Amino acid sequence: MPCPFLGSFNQAFVRNYGSSLMKQYGNYCPMISRTFRTLGQDETKCPFIQQNSIISEAPKEMSEDIVEPVKPYKYEKFFNDQISAKKKDYSYRIFRKVSRLAADGVYPQALEGQENRRVTVWCANDYLGASRHPIVQDAAIAAIKSYGTGAGGTRNIAGNSQMTEKLEGEIAKLHNKPAALIFSSCFVANDATLSTLAKILPDCIVYSDAGNHASMIQGIRNSRAPKHIFRHNDPNHLRELLSKSPAGVPKLVVFETVHSMSGAICPLEEMCNIAHEYGALTFVDEVHAVGLYGKSGAGIGEERGVQHLIDIVSGTLGKAYGNVGGYIAGSTLLIDTVRSLAPGFIFTTALPPPVLAGSLAAIRLLASEEGRSLRSKHQAIVRYFKLSLLVAGLPQLPSVSHIVPVPIKGADKVALVAESLMKRGHYVQAINYPTVARGEERLRFAPGPYHTPEMVDSLVTALIESFHENNISFDQFMVNGACRECSMEYKADIMQDELLKFPMQVA
């Protein structure tokens, strides 16, 4: 049935003035006002719209002021979904409230939770307790009194002090290199150096160890250079990949000496020689080795007498040296290139005076005879802990370094055991994805020179109880302090000075 209103006009008038009529009077027609919102759908019944294309196509004047509401993106729902997924697969990280104590007689204990309950810390990377050593503390305090707590800006603006250059000189001397450069962290050092060098070297190809730390992986990704991944600590696979590379093209071979989560130590000399055979530069991360290996604490390179084979070494001030920050050391021109071109260095506030002074004091301390004594005690207690795990029948991954991983498959299981240990006064953090692959979850222990055999004994007992409490089976051959087969009592009556006669050797 035709519209009675529009039907009163002739067709020529409707063709000429239809849009104006609809704009002025359309909202009075219930059929038209409803169908305009569903235009183009099958339910459009108005015979006027069906017969007049000028109206059915909705002229611009009629539609320009019609704004369909767009629902805003639900950001909080998205974030909630991300966190829920992490919690569901047990990879959500809960930061324990643990305040480490520094005073004599209480270190390596900490205050945990709201109740400030005393627990023993087994997972800190302050491996030798340098952060609480009086020499390091006094140096940091003196720097605060003389220079304040902050750097005042980037190195270019206000943060390049004599102490900064003195620390870089000490690091270069430690690693037997012409120059060094310090960063706000070793993550930044690795990321900034690798992304800059692999980006500016023409047609550079990167060869990266499969077990590399996230900081190196991030730097390689940021460079957008082509890369090849070789199997962890596998020089034969590295050679196979390098043999297929074009001659004369810049290459970087990137790997760690001590692996942070497995405790494995790479075949350093062999890997460096293979890299150089094919014209590559070596970038070697000694983060978990500096301060701990070698006569001066320079790392595995010094321990094995092959520092000269490392073209670029990266290290940290935040683990064995007990402070914060990272660094690289290498040739003068290479270091100057990174200094001049790496955004991660250029646009970052410099390290503050107490960190510079504390780090300088820590490097000198661990290069001294006292540092060598700390390393010996450290290696001795690590050996005692590994032996105690072995005697108890508890699992441990093979490790020739100071890092002792105890595998517990399943993110839920490893978290439960960590919680059980905490209840018994022992703090160790559960390690799961993405730090390690799913199915390779573990507890990562790092006993230090201030842990005693009695502390280790207490920890091993707590581990046995925690495994039983959470229904985790293991090959327990000690029951109530005696062998399950012959009932012979076992007592690890080995004192610290006796352990020092058998220091841990690097493979």
Side-chain angles (χ1 to χ4, degrees), residues 459-501:
L459 172 62
V460 171
T461 299
L463 262 173
I464 292 171
E465 293 173 354
S466 298
F467 270 55
H468 287 317
E469 183 177 288
N470 294 286
N471 299 315
I472 300 173
S473 60
F474 64 100
D475 188 20
Q476 182 178 5
F477 51 83
M478 294 297 296
V479 179
N480 296 324
C483 175
R484 72 182 183 194
E485 299 296 334
C486 67
S487 300
M488 180 182 290
E489 290 189 1
Y490 168 79
K491 175 63 177 174
D493 192 18
I494 306 175
M495 300 307 294
Q496 193 89 340
D497 55 350
E498 182 70 18
L499 287 169
L500 294 180
K501 297 178 182 177

Side-chain angles (χ1 to χ4, degrees), residues 84-236:
S84 296
K86 295 287 287 181
K87 290 181 177 179
K88 189 175 181 180
D89 67 4
Y90 294 94
S91 63
Y92 180 71
R93 299 189 175 193
I94 298 173
F95 296 152
R96 305 302 299 250
K97 297 177 180 64
V98 178
S99 300
R100 294 194 306 129
L101 299 171
D104 289 337
V106 293
Y107 183 85
Q109 292 182 318
L111 301 179
E112 185 268 331
Q114 299 294 338
E115 302 81 14
N116 285 333
R117 188 171 61 95
R118 289 280 184 93
V119 296
T120 302
V121 180
W122 294 97
C123 53
N125 289 334
D126 182 12
Y127 293 123
L128 302 179
S131 69
R132 45 87 60 196
H133 195 284
I135 290 176
V136 177
Q137 289 181 334
D138 290 347
I141 292 168
I144 289 174
K145 290 180 177 178
S146 296
Y147 307 110
T149 59
T154 65
R155 291 277 294 273
N156 186 51
I157 294 176
N160 192 61
S161 64
Q162 292 91 334
M163 200 183 309
T164 304
E165 296 189 359
K166 189 178 293 185
L167 176 58
E168 287 177 338
E170 193 72 23
I171 292 169
K173 175 185 172 184
L174 176 72
H175 291 286
N176 198 24
K177 301 295 181 193
L181 192 67
I182 56 177
F183 295 78
S184 55
S185 74
C186 199
F187 191 107
V188 176
N190 286 346
D191 180 9
T193 302
L194 288 170
S195 62
T196 299
L197 292 180
K199 185 181 295 182
I200 66 172
L201 286 168
D203 303 316
C204 181
I205 304 172
V206 180
Y207 296 83
S208 177
D209 189 289
N212 275 344
H213 187 264
S215 57
M216 291 184 277
I217 295 171
Q218 188 69 28
I220 294 166
R221 284 177 178 167
N222 288 340
S223 75
R224 299 185 179 180
K227 65 178 183 295
H228 299 281
I229 311 298
F230 60 92
R231 289 186 293 272
H232 183 44
N233 287 347
D234 188 339
N236 294 325

Side-chain angles (χ1 to χ4, degrees), residues 295-340:
K295 183 179 180 180
S296 303
I300 300 299
E302 184 186 34
E303 177 87 12
R304 298 181 178 178
V306 293
Q307 281 184 294
H308 61 287
L309 297 179
I310 301 173
D311 298 306
I312 311 161
V313 59
S314 74
T316 183
L317 304 170
K319 291 183 170 59
Y321 291 127
N323 281 267
V324 67
Y327 63 82
I328 59 168
S331 74
T332 302
L333 286 174
L334 186 148
I335 295 299
D336 201 20
T337 298
V338 175
R339 183 189 71 86
S340 301

Side-chain angles (χ1 to χ4, degrees), residues 332-408:
T332 302
L333 286 174
L334 186 148
I335 295 299
D336 201 20
T337 298
V338 175
R339 183 189 71 86
S340 301
L341 298 176
F345 170 81
I346 296 170
F347 301 105
T348 301
T349 299
L351 290 178
V355 169
L356 297 171
S359 298
L360 183 61
I363 290 173
R364 290 173 174 172
L365 168 70
L366 297 188
S368 71
E369 191 59 43
E370 184 178 353
R372 286 185 278 278
S373 175
L374 282 171
R375 281 192 287 278
S376 294
K377 292 177 182 178
H378 178 224
Q379 293 171 358
I381 201 66
V382 169
R383 285 175 58 87
Y384 181 76
F385 180 50
K386 289 179 177 180
L387 175 63
S388 298
L389 290 175
L390 179 66
V391 169
L394 288 162
Q396 58 179 304
L397 296 177
S399 167
V400 294
S401 72
H402 59 284
I403 295 167
V404 187
V406 172
I408 302 172

